[in-house]
Amino acid sequence: RYFDAYLFVSQFTKSKFLEFYPDVSDRAHVIYNFSSDFDSSINRGDYFLYIGRLDREKGLPTLLEAFREMKDIKLVIAGSGPLKELINQYNINDNIVYVGYKRGEELSLLIKNSEYVIVPSECYENLPMSVVESFSYSKPVISSKLGGLKELVENSSAGFLFEPKNVNDLMRVVRIAKSISDDEYKILSNNAYQFAINNFNSENFYAKLLAIYKKLITSK
């Protein structure tokens, strides 16, 4: 009751908070984080990309198990974490490539040259920057049907969803994503970029934030 406003980075986070504190609904606002770089060019690369922490709750074992079975599809993994050694155990077909932790221009190029970015999280995600950056580079996303990930991929029409922790469903979705035509892929890429421009630009972010500040100031 001592707070005048609550800011959330996704509708999912807001709705989850309001389940426990419904009385603050009139003080709850959603503002997506913003990206500082955009690229509208479309490049359908030849690999699927995972970027992030190498841990169980991020869905890494599920991802590795799926691509061990799909030996004809290349997966590139960038990141660091306690399950790094697990990658070699699953890479029996040499279709899984671990490139270590990447940032800056190296990370940007990895995203831009990929075919899809995969976010297989098995925990609630709010507004992962991996999706923000992917959409900003016109890159479609394959993600688990969970938390803020579902919100982003469904609302953007820029990717595919699969059931979390479900290896077979992930494989099914990857096969579908791989098989679509270049024209269909172009639509996904354009949707990703347009969603990013509309929702992840800094001007919108600051305009919404300042509007909340001004409202609070004038109400006092």
Side-chain angles (χ1 to χ4, degrees):
R1 65 182 181 273
Y2 296 111
F3 292 91
D4 297 305
Y6 294 82
L7 303 183
F8 301 93
V9 296
S10 68
Q11 292 290 344
F12 166 76
T13 317
K14 174 185 170 182
S15 65
K16 184 59 65 176
F17 188 83
L18 293 181
E19 285 181 22
F20 299 93
Y21 303 100
D23 293 342
V24 307
S25 60
D26 60 332
R27 291 175 277 161
H29 309 272
V30 174
I31 306 180
Y32 286 151
N33 291 327
F34 64 87
S35 175
S36 57
D37 191 21
F38 295 87
D39 188 343
S40 62
S41 60
I42 297 174
N43 174 27
R44 186 172 187 173
D46 64 350
Y47 60 86
F48 288 67
L49 175 66
Y50 171 86
I51 48 177
R53 194 167 76 252
L54 308 181
D55 220 333
R56 190 164 300 278
E57 71 268 19
K58 293 296 186 178
L60 186 67
T62 300
L63 180 68
L64 291 172
E65 191 171 339
F67 275 84
R68 177 176 61 183
E69 301 300 320
M70 297 184 293
K71 57 185 179 181
D72 56 321
I73 301 178
K74 183 178 178 181
L75 171 68
V76 173
I77 297 175
S80 61
L83 296 187
K84 183 175 71 172
E85 300 304 319
L86 198 63
I87 297 173
N88 288 331
Q89 297 177 31
Y90 280 89
N91 189 24
I92 60 176
N93 305 305
D94 293 328
N95 65 314
I96 300 174
V97 180
Y98 176 58
V99 296
Y101 177 77
K102 300 295 181 182
R103 58 182 297 181
E105 185 63 23
E106 281 187 308
L107 178 59
S108 297
L109 288 174
L110 268 179
I111 297 173
K112 292 177 181 179
N113 291 326
S114 68
E115 185 170 8
Y116 294 90
V117 170
I118 301 186
V119 189
S121 293
E122 296 169 5
C123 61
Y124 283 149
E125 299 278 6
N126 297 319
L127 185 77
M129 290 306 294
S130 56
V131 177
V132 173
E133 292 171 337
S134 298
F135 282 2
S136 299
Y137 295 146
S138 308
K139 195 61 57 178
V141 169
I142 296 172
S143 82
S144 53
K145 196 182 299 183
L146 195 64
L149 289 171
K150 179 182 177 183
E151 172 185 330
L152 293 172
V153 175
E154 275 191 344
N155 290 344
S156 65
S157 299
F160 300 90
L161 293 167
F162 70 94
E163 294 295 332
K165 301 183 181 181
N166 191 322
V167 173
N168 289 331
D169 199 43
L170 174 55
M171 292 171 60
R172 178 187 66 83
V173 168
V174 167
R175 293 289 189 193
I176 291 172
K178 189 72 177 173
S179 67
I180 67 171
S181 68
D182 288 343
D183 286 340
E184 291 172 311
Y185 183 84
K186 184 177 179 179
I187 291 172
L188 291 181
S189 297
N190 284 331
N191 288 344
Y193 179 76
Q194 204 56 55
F195 189 85
I197 286 293
N198 293 338
N199 294 278
F200 302 147
N201 72 77
S202 59
E203 289 184 7
N204 280 356
F205 176 88
Y206 287 116
K208 291 178 180 178
L209 188 61
L210 288 171
I212 294 170
Y213 286 164
K214 289 176 180 177
K215 182 179 179 181
L216 294 177
I217 291 169
T218 55
S219 67
K220 293 299 181 183

